[in-house]
Amino acid sequence: MGNLIMMMGCPGVGKSTFVKDHCPEHIDTYVSRDDIRFSIVREDEEYFSHETEVWNIFVATIARGLKFGGTVWADATHLNMKSRLKLLNALPQKPDNIEIIFLDAPLETALEQNELRKGTRAYVPPEQVKRMWFQVEEPEFHEGKYTYNKIYIVRPGEPIIIKEEQ
């Protein structure tokens, strides 16, 4: 089984940009829930109109990448323990290692960066960004039956904090 790196943070904090800017060129598998969504949902359809299909493809792609022993980057919000466990429990096998990269930005930063996406499919209504920002729960090393090997906390203008399970 492979290694899973879960991106975490509300819309607009820069999860996808972080992956593109900081990840090694040899990423085995990068799975973006938004990329999947935008490949399925037409311009004239509601954002969540194919959510079950998007979810199923997201999980299947992650599971396939893990099966072959690589490192899989799962790019989605994973805002709270419930959403993180939903993904982990949906996988047919537990990854060898699980790490979280939590982009912890102020609400104002998320809203400002989201506004830069206005007019694109990636734009999220500000009320929804606010609602999601208030749902964020910093990950703990032990959530449900899972233990994370490392938790990275990334805050704008600060050094990355790396927490490791002792």
Side-chain angles (χ1 to χ4, degrees):
M1 203 62 182
N3 304 308
L4 178 63
I5 299 176
M6 298 171 67
M7 297 304 298
M8 178 191 162
C10 78
V13 296
K15 296 178 299 297
S16 301
T17 300
F18 182 90
V19 173
K20 291 177 182 112
D21 290 348
H22 293 90
C23 297
E25 293 179 15
H26 63 277
I27 292 177
D28 297 314
T29 305
Y30 169 70
V31 187
S32 165
R33 198 160 167 175
D34 280 343
D35 288 350
I36 294 167
R37 181 181 331 282
F38 299 145
S39 73
I40 295 170
V41 177
R42 294 187 321 262
E43 292 279 343
D44 63 336
E45 291 182 302
E46 198 270 326
Y47 184 84
F48 291 110
S49 60
H50 295 273
E51 194 56 27
T52 300
E53 185 179 3
V54 169
W55 171 254
N56 290 338
I57 293 169
F58 184 67
V59 171
T61 306
I62 292 168
R64 187 171 49 249
L66 291 171
K67 179 180 178 183
F68 294 109
T71 297
V72 177
W73 292 73
D75 187 356
T77 57
H78 302 116
L79 295 176
N80 50 44
M81 181 174 65
K82 182 179 177 184
S83 63
R84 293 185 289 273
L85 293 179
K86 180 180 178 184
L87 172 59
L88 294 170
N89 288 328
L91 297 172
Q93 291 183 294
K94 182 180 181 280
D96 291 331
N97 293 294
I98 306 168
E99 297 180 4
I100 295 179
I101 299 177
F102 172 27
L103 275 75
D104 184 20
L107 176 58
E108 296 75 27
T109 300
L111 290 168
E112 287 170 10
Q113 291 179 175
N114 183 57
E115 281 302 309
L116 298 174
R117 304 188 295 190
K118 200 164 195 165
T120 72
R121 297 179 83 189
Y123 180 74
V124 178
E127 317 76 56
Q128 194 169 357
V129 172
K130 290 175 188 174
R131 182 183 54 78
M132 294 175 80
W133 191 86
F134 284 105
Q135 291 177 357
V136 171
E137 294 174 4
E138 188 166 324
E140 300 289 332
F141 277 106
H142 303 281
E143 293 184 335
K145 61 184 177 183
Y146 300 95
T147 299
Y148 304 126
N149 300 85
K150 288 184 184 177
I151 298 171
Y152 302 84
I153 301 175
V154 181
R155 294 186 176 113
E158 295 182 20
I160 295 174
I161 298 167
I162 302 172
K163 295 181 176 183
E164 295 188 62
E165 175 67 357
Q166 302 299 324

